[in-house]
Amino acid sequence: MAASPPLPGRRLCRAVSMVTPPPLQAATLGRALYGAATAMLRPPRLSPGPPRRFAATAAGRGRRLLLSTPIFYANGPPHIGHLYSALLADALHRHRGLELGGPGRLCTGTDEHGLKIQQAATAVGTSPPELCQRISGLFRQVFTQAAISFTDFIRTSEPRHKQAVRHFWGALQNGGALYKGCYEGWYCTPEECFLPESQLAERRDAQGLPCKVSLESGHQVHWTKEENYMFRLSAFRDPLRNWLRDNPCAISPEPFYQRTLRWLEEDLPDLSVSRERSRLQWGIPVPSDSTQTIYVWVDALVNYLSVLGYPETHSEWWPAAHHVVGKDILKFHAIYWPALLMAAGLAPPERILVHSHWTVHGQKMSKSLGNVIDPLACMEQFTVDGFRYFLLRQGVPDRDCDYYDEKVVKLLNSELADALGGLLNRSTALSINPSNSYPRFSESCFPKVLDYRETKGTGRASAEDYEFLASVASLPVQVATYFESFQVYKALECIALCVRQTNGFFQRHKPWKLDRKDPAEQLWLDTIIHVTLECLRVYGTLLQPVIPHTADKLLSRLAVEPEERGLSGLTFLPRYDGKPCPFEGRQLGPDTGVLFRKLERSQQQQAKTKSSCP
Ligand code: MSP
């Protein structure tokens, strides 16, 4: 129930339980806690053996993964920030699929329970199920349109999810991780959590009365007192620290890993994990206590297991999970979720990949400011691949990025239309390649050397050309490393740099000026085009996770068959190493259309801040 704010001078409760939790009973814990997590939950004095550590399973590339996006609140339509979360997960999923030659899993969906949704439905005069049905449909539509390769779309209102949540709750309860307590503190409905005093600021509300707001989101908080089930989060400080110490890559980028460690130095109060049903009806009831509703964050986090068929079939995949999340929900994923999992006898996820936020013209995106950018309008204006490229090329996970139309137009025109599209156009022009085929490479023009700085000048290639060749040859590994370290923008930066170098190579040797009637010149001309097409083949292959349609067009034009587009067998310019090139002599694909159409500056002004009402 909601209570009145505390009287001035009264010591404020920082979102902690007001009752002393019942002591952990060794007998209960020993009986109920599952496997490895058992040792991790017990306080040290109760733990007879050394605690087991949760290390990542076989690390690195070469394994199937479960990638996930957060599940999105079904209280308003998708915006570009949501799409960014999904795009990052999609690019990683596609990249891993191309490395392994087969699909993994990418799960997304909508978070449909809680006060926030209940209130949003009331505000627009509809019921929560009707609102969720509509908004969930919008997310599915945007993600489908944006070519997000999701393999599962979960809604927390689905029976399979509710069943998983109930089972998970049972595992927590049987493990002795829950107790009932009276709880009071400042509750922030939009964030769906209690906030400690340190995360609050004083403001005035619309009537000019003093109120408190969340420092993070700016939303007003309300003093709330009720009886809840509590989760013994405080018992997990050491297990969480150990997990992070043993898995330094568990949270990326590094600043977010450090932030999580700092949280573990601070207060770690037990967590309220249910709400009185009288206050919150739109949610999953606590099994065997119909007066309580399961806290929406516990409900939502379990989605990562329900998509795997928890409690029956999840172990085929779990814990090979990589969660992509925004920085605002880091604590839920990096502290609460791993602790809940351990308490339920499961290992924490393998990795949590964190990104920052998009602002618009320097301002936070918000319904009240009316600056929420509609991703469908963006994709219509800049094309699906154009907008995917922009968000992934400009979005830097460690810091917030600013959106404005001019930036999109400038980037896409320069990197996709001019540099990449122009290169394909120039190197496949009938005027220099009348046979419209993949020409031959000549070793005599471009002889293999051990050290390009010591070329004896036997061929036609310059030291700069050898340097450029070395950059492209190392590109696939560089790109893979950046994808692995969740720096997709850096992978794209490297590709863009190589595309620029290839244009430089083409421009330097001016193949259109070579005399095709002279056999020696013809050999060199063919070699220049062969090298250029080889570069384009590498770029097309590496760009597939980011701009799938454009990459397909590019690779089809180069006559690269679908089974030749994987990453594991990607070799650049095999002829330089004296190996056969399967493409040499092949007829090029028939589609000679423009790879990426240049955007007009006048196209910039279209309205994209459509109504964001639910
Ligand atoms: N429902 C919870 C997540 C539960 S996951 C078990 C939630 N939903 S959300 O719709 O508010 O946010 C979903 C994702 O969108 C989060 O990763 C969040 O960081 C991201 N973004 C929301 N606004 C954003 C920007 N302005 N920019 C980038 N991403 C943003 O939180």
Side-chain angles (χ1 to χ4, degrees), residues 70-73 79 81-82 84-85 111 297 300-301 303-304 325-329 333 355-358 365:
I71 48 169
F72 301 88
Y73 284 129
H79 60 57
H82 300 137
Y84 181 56
S85 273
D111 188 352
W297 265 102
L301 286 163
N303 95 85
Y304 300 129
V325 301
K327 63 179 184 179
D328 54 321
I329 54 174
H333 284 82
H355 66 79
S356 298
H357 282 186
W358 282 91
M365 239 188 302

Side-chain angles (χ1 to χ4, degrees), residues 434-600:
S435 65
N436 195 34
S437 62
Y438 217 96
R440 277 175 50 85
F441 174 85
S442 153
E443 289 96 333
S444 61
C445 293
F446 216 135
K448 187 174 169 79
V449 293
L450 291 177
D451 184 345
Y452 63 82
R453 283 161 300 197
E454 288 165 15
T455 57
K456 304 209 176 57
T458 50
R460 306 275 303 248
S462 65
E464 219 174 344
D465 296 336
Y466 283 100
E467 213 169 328
F468 140 69
L469 227 60
S471 306
V472 184
S474 64
L475 190 64
V477 171
Q478 248 179 322
V479 166
T481 309
Y482 282 133
F483 267 82
E484 186 66 27
S485 61
F486 196 50
Q487 291 172 300
V488 178
Y489 73 104
K490 279 205 178 170
L492 294 177
E493 194 175 294
C494 290
I495 298 174
L497 185 70
C498 281
V499 173
R500 269 207 297 284
Q501 282 182 290
T502 318
N503 271 307
F505 164 76
F506 202 79
Q507 194 63 29
R508 198 157 52 244
H509 297 299
K510 301 189 175 30
W512 60 92
K513 284 199 171 163
L514 295 174
D515 179 5
R516 275 195 278 119
K517 289 188 212 84
D518 176 343
E521 297 280 278
Q522 176 72 57
L523 268 188
W524 179 221
L525 170 63
D526 285 349
T527 303
I528 296 169
I529 299 176
H530 181 101
V531 169
T532 308
L533 296 192
E534 277 292 280
C535 290
L536 282 166
R537 184 173 64 81
V538 167
Y539 307 148
T541 308
L542 295 175
L543 284 169
Q544 291 175 99
V546 174
I547 44 172
H549 308 103
T550 311
D552 173 48
K553 199 166 174 183
L554 170 57
L555 293 172
S556 300
R557 176 73 176 116
L558 299 178
V560 181
E561 299 292 339
E563 61 278 9
E564 295 169 326
R565 297 177 182 189
L567 287 172
S568 60
L570 179 61
T571 45
F572 167 60
L573 203 60
R575 293 282 276 108
Y576 178 73
D577 290 310
K579 298 191 184 122
C581 170
F583 305 97
E584 218 172 45
R586 226 183 249 188
Q587 200 59 27
L588 296 183
D591 183 0
T592 56
V594 172
L595 185 69
F596 189 87
R597 198 164 295 286
K598 212 160 167 163
L599 299 158
E600 299 294 332

Side-chain angles (χ1 to χ4, degrees), residues 111-153:
D111 188 352
E112 306 191 356
H113 292 137
L115 212 49
K116 200 205 265 289
I117 312 288
Q118 196 172 296
Q119 289 176 348
T122 310
V124 292
T126 187
S127 65
E130 199 282 327
L131 177 70
C132 292
Q133 173 79 16
R134 190 149 50 84
I135 301 291
S136 186
L138 289 179
F139 274 96
R140 196 183 258 278
Q141 182 198 356
V142 166
F143 292 166
T144 305
Q145 174 70 21
I148 304 296
S149 55
F150 59 88
T151 55
D152 203 335
F153 189 102

Side-chain angles (χ1 to χ4, degrees), residues 3-245:
S4 46
L7 297 169
R10 175 176 159 188
R11 207 174 141 263
L12 291 178
C13 163
R14 301 188 303 148
V16 292
S17 160
M18 298 300 282
V19 291
T20 314
L24 293 170
Q25 295 299 322
T28 318
L29 287 165
R31 172 164 31 87
L33 284 175
Y34 296 34
T38 309
M40 313 222 45
L41 177 62
R42 285 184 196 131
R45 69 196 159 83
L46 295 178
S47 173
R52 197 187 111 182
R53 303 229 156 84
F54 290 105
T57 45
R61 299 175 200 153
R63 276 177 320 111
R64 294 186 318 161
L65 283 186
L66 166 76
L67 271 149
S68 68
T69 74
I71 48 169
F72 301 88
Y73 284 129
N75 63 341
H79 60 57
I80 58 167
H82 300 137
L83 179 60
Y84 181 56
S85 273
L87 275 178
L88 283 166
D90 177 63
L92 299 179
H93 179 235
R94 286 174 180 270
H95 188 265
R96 181 60 64 114
L98 287 166
E99 278 183 334
L100 297 185
R105 291 182 80 148
L106 168 55
C107 302
T108 190
T110 40
D111 188 352
E112 306 191 356
H113 292 137
L115 212 49
K116 200 205 265 289
I117 312 288
Q118 196 172 296
Q119 289 176 348
T122 310
V124 292
T126 187
S127 65
E130 199 282 327
L131 177 70
C132 292
Q133 173 79 16
R134 190 149 50 84
I135 301 291
S136 186
L138 289 179
F139 274 96
R140 196 183 258 278
Q141 182 198 356
V142 166
F143 292 166
T144 305
Q145 174 70 21
I148 304 296
S149 55
F150 59 88
T151 55
D152 203 335
F153 189 102
I154 185 133
R155 299 181 54 190
T156 54
S157 53
E158 286 176 53
R160 61 170 171 158
H161 175 71
K162 291 183 187 165
Q163 205 183 326
V165 172
R166 281 194 288 265
H167 189 92
F168 192 82
W169 183 274
L172 295 177
Q173 186 123 52
N174 292 340
L178 304 179
Y179 62 92
K180 215 163 178 187
C182 179
Y183 193 87
E184 63 182 312
W186 292 105
Y187 194 74
C188 179
T189 304
E191 289 178 43
E192 294 279 21
C193 62
F194 282 96
L195 292 173
E197 199 67 26
S198 59
Q199 284 173 30
L200 301 176
E202 304 276 349
R203 293 276 186 282
R204 294 204 169 261
D205 66 14
Q207 284 78 44
L209 298 169
C211 69
K212 284 184 184 279
V213 297
S214 157
L215 268 180
E216 167 94 29
S217 67
H219 289 115
Q220 192 172 347
V221 295
H222 298 277
W223 188 258
T224 308
K225 183 180 180 185
E226 60 180 44
E227 200 176 53
N228 291 167
Y229 283 92
M230 303 294 297
F231 169 63
R232 293 180 195 280
L233 182 62
S234 54
F236 285 87
R237 188 192 300 276
D238 285 341
L240 287 168
R241 277 197 192 129
N242 293 341
W243 163 60
L244 289 175
R245 187 196 53 219

